[in-house]
Amino acid sequence: LQAVGEVAALTQGHADKKDAAHFLSRRMDVVSTQEAVRNRELASMRSETEALLRQVATRAAQFEQYEQGLLKDLHAAEYERQLHVQTVHEYLTEMSFVMGMPGGEHGRH
């Protein structure tokens, strides 16, 4: 009778271990599936992040080109302004010389 009890206890212990192993195997499958889902999500986020970084780099390059164009325009405008000032100065100098000559507008008054 005692042997029957020991066999029953061993059989129950074996069944419990088998159930525990089965539960752990299912749990491992669930964890593995969750990990695969997270890895796909991380890969997707990494891809989106890389796309955003490329977009930012492209926009930065476009802004730099725009800024260089503005600086070029600014330098051209400054050159034209200086040329205008020089031309006006030369004109006024020439006119004051002409006006100061006998027979010029200044001499007629």
Side-chain angles (χ1 to χ4, degrees):
L1 194 58
Q2 182 180 356
V4 172
E6 287 177 8
V7 169
L10 286 174
T11 302
Q12 184 60 42
H14 179 71
D16 290 346
K17 287 179 184 176
K18 190 174 178 182
D19 288 346
H22 185 66
F23 171 77
L24 290 175
S25 176
R26 284 186 308 203
R27 182 68 185 137
M28 191 169 70
D29 288 344
V30 168
V31 168
S32 178
T33 300
Q34 289 173 341
E35 183 179 1
V37 168
R38 276 188 283 235
N39 285 338
R40 281 194 300 273
E41 289 172 349
L42 284 173
S44 176
M45 285 192 291
R46 183 178 297 120
S47 177
E48 289 174 13
T49 300
E50 289 170 353
L52 286 173
L53 288 173
R54 282 191 301 273
Q55 188 177 32
V56 166
T58 299
R59 286 186 181 172
Q62 290 172 348
F63 178 75
E64 186 174 340
Q65 289 176 346
Y66 177 72
E67 183 179 30
Q68 289 174 357
L70 288 178
L71 288 173
K72 186 176 177 181
D73 290 348
L74 180 65
H75 287 104
E78 178 59 20
Y79 173 77
E80 289 177 16
R81 186 193 69 77
Q82 289 175 358
L83 189 59
H84 175 74
V85 167
Q86 180 182 349
T87 303
V88 167
H89 177 70
E90 289 173 2
Y91 173 78
L92 292 175
T93 301
E94 185 177 316
M95 288 307 294
S96 81
F97 176 75
V98 168
M99 296 295 211
M101 289 181 59
E105 288 292 320
H106 187 269
R108 291 184 190 165
H109 290 282

